Amino acid sequence: MFSIISISVILGSLFFVLPVISEAQKEEKTFVTHSGRVVTTSGEILDPLYTSTTLEFDPMEFLRDFNYGRVSELPDGTILREYTIIAEDDGIMEVSPGVFYNVWTFNGTVPGPTIRATEGDLVRIKFINNGEKEHTMHFHGIHEAHMDGVFEPVGPGGGKFVYEFRAGPVGVHPYHCHIMPLEEHIVHGLYGVYIVDPKEGRAPADEMVMVLNSLDTDFDTENNFYAANTIPFYYQHHPIQISTGDLIRVYVVNMVEFDPINNFHLHGNLYRYNPTGTDTDSFYTDMITLSQTERGIMEFSYDYPGKYLFHAHKVEFSEKGWVGLFLVDGEPLAETIGSINYGN
């Protein structure tokens, strides 16, 4: 009798549970794969295309956007560059379809604007904190102690501070908020790139900025997404277009929090890499490893057209978003192996 009652209860439970599971399984999503194939699935979409998502931040625009400030000349001939930087900590950004994240921003973006000056220029940053927490700006480089952005917290709700220093040394440097707990302010997005050009300039090139960053969307100090310029997989689905023979110069800065290292691997090519970019020494490689805030300048050109990956060679990072493509257009600049038809 007990067995019959038990079976009846179980069957009754299944009657109510199974239809719910069945309905959940019928909820299907459609997305596009890397090859262009349209797939419909009721499973989890780990790597979707951004075909129907309006981004508040455009990684392609950020890639080549440099802020030279408002330029004037002082009586002694010094070039003055003035910038206004506004910090906020109440932004919501859709970092991946259906994934919304509270970003803390400099001038409304993560990363903040790429600040650029020439060695010896006077840099003046008018900093306004419109957030609800204290914030600062700490620049890597050479400056006086009271301009370091560590011991002078700027109060919330419109607090102001003016940072002023001579641009130097030559190279690529990060800037970031330096309020404790520091990891909280960095992982939410309060960082950017500061480039100091040599007085004699550099060779003309197609110049880009790539900030390697990560997002801890569930606040367990383990990153859920990785990217170059914030949006996971963006440059894989929107390849960066370049041409054969063009000199490409990438200012790369690693701002990944929680993980001790990151790296950058380029396919089908090698690049000259100058750590920090502070002198002329470089080495020739297709792979660099970076700790947090390590940075440098990569220079390369492609001889052959086609699609070439760049990504973290730490596979976890690339599979969670830190991967992209260069789409190289133009004629081959070197002899190709065309007499044998390899492959299918």
Side-chain angles (χ1 to χ4, degrees):
M1 183 70 177
F2 178 80
S3 299
I4 295 173
I5 294 173
S6 299
I7 292 171
S8 300
V9 170
I10 293 170
L11 289 174
S13 300
L14 290 174
F15 179 82
F16 291 104
V17 173
L18 286 176
V20 175
I21 296 173
S22 178
E23 287 301 317
Q25 288 174 338
K26 289 180 181 179
E27 185 181 347
E28 296 185 329
K29 310 176 189 71
T30 301
F31 69 104
V32 184
T33 67
H34 304 148
S35 64
R37 179 170 169 241
V38 177
V39 174
T40 300
T41 178
S42 58
E44 184 178 5
I45 301 175
L46 296 177
D47 180 5
L49 285 177
Y50 299 91
T51 53
S52 61
T53 302
T54 301
L55 299 174
E56 299 175 17
F57 168 70
D58 185 348
M60 197 63 75
E61 180 181 346
F62 175 84
L63 188 71
R64 296 183 175 96
D65 187 29
F66 302 98
N67 187 339
Y68 291 89
R70 186 164 63 88
V71 182
S72 60
E73 186 173 338
L74 299 177
D76 64 358
T78 299
I79 297 299
L80 170 65
R81 296 185 185 272
E82 297 180 275
Y83 309 80
T84 299
I85 303 294
I86 300 172
E88 296 175 306
D89 49 35
D90 60 352
I92 300 296
M93 182 175 178
E94 190 171 12
V95 295
S96 187
V99 180
F100 295 85
Y101 187 69
N102 172 213
V103 288
W104 300 3
T105 61
F106 287 128
N107 284 10
T109 63
V110 176
T114 299
I115 294 171
R116 194 159 187 174
T118 300
E119 184 181 23
D121 290 351
L122 185 62
V123 175
R124 181 176 295 159
I125 310 284
K126 298 177 181 178
F127 177 60
I128 303 170
N129 179 12
N130 282 346
E132 297 180 359
K133 301 175 181 289
E134 292 183 336
H135 297 299
T136 66
M137 295 185 73
H138 165 65
F139 286 82
H140 288 219
I142 299 171
H143 45 252
E144 297 175 272
H146 62 287
M147 292 294 154
D148 202 35
V150 176
F151 304 112
E152 304 81 22
V154 181
K160 298 178 182 179
F161 191 89
V162 177
Y163 297 96
E164 190 170 287
F165 47 83
R166 295 279 180 174
V170 166
V172 54
H173 313 287
Y175 66 84
H176 56 86
C177 182
H178 214 295
I179 292 292
M180 300 297 287
L182 188 55
E183 68 179 23
E184 179 186 29
H185 290 247
I186 289 179
V187 78
H188 276 279
L190 285 175
Y191 48 77
V193 177
Y194 163 49
I195 297 172
V196 180
D197 294 314
K199 293 180 180 179
E200 63 276 15
R202 299 186 187 275
D206 183 356
E207 296 191 322
M208 310 171 189
V209 170
M210 290 192 191
V211 179
L212 311 184
N213 49 6
S214 57
L215 296 167
D216 172 23
T217 56
D218 54 8
F219 311 110
D220 63 353
T221 69
E222 294 285 341
N223 291 312
N224 305 92
F225 295 99
Y226 298 86
N229 298 340
T230 305
I231 304 299
F233 300 106
Y234 187 87
Y235 296 119
Q236 180 161 333
H237 302 317
H238 303 78
I240 299 169
Q241 298 189 24
I242 60 177
S243 298
T244 55
D246 284 359
L247 177 63
I248 308 301
R249 181 176 297 124
V250 179
Y251 299 91
V252 58
V253 180
N254 179 44
M255 292 302 298
V256 167
E257 187 57 79
F258 303 132
D259 294 283
I261 63 167
N262 197 353
N263 43 47
F264 194 124
H265 170 51
L266 182 64
H267 278 223
N269 211 342
L270 279 77
Y271 48 84
R272 288 282 173 190
Y273 182 70
N274 183 347
T276 311
T278 52
D279 55 33
T280 58
D281 290 339
S282 65
F283 54 89
Y284 197 44
T285 184
D286 65 0
M287 165 74 179
I288 54 172
T289 297
L290 304 164
S291 184
Q292 194 189 55
T293 73
E294 276 198 277
R295 68 278 188 188
I297 301 175
M298 304 165 50
E299 291 188 348
F300 58 92
S301 63
Y302 272 97
D303 290 342
Y304 307 105
K307 294 189 296 186
Y308 297 93
L309 275 171
F310 60 91
H311 60 94
H313 222 297
K314 183 166 173 48
V315 177
E316 176 195 359
F317 294 5
S318 58
E319 291 184 346
K320 291 181 177 179
W322 169 190
V323 60
L325 281 169
F326 286 114
L327 180 58
V328 185
D329 189 23
E331 296 298 321
L333 302 180
E335 183 180 354
T336 60
I337 302 173
S339 60
I340 301 177
N341 183 21
Y342 293 102
N344 296 317

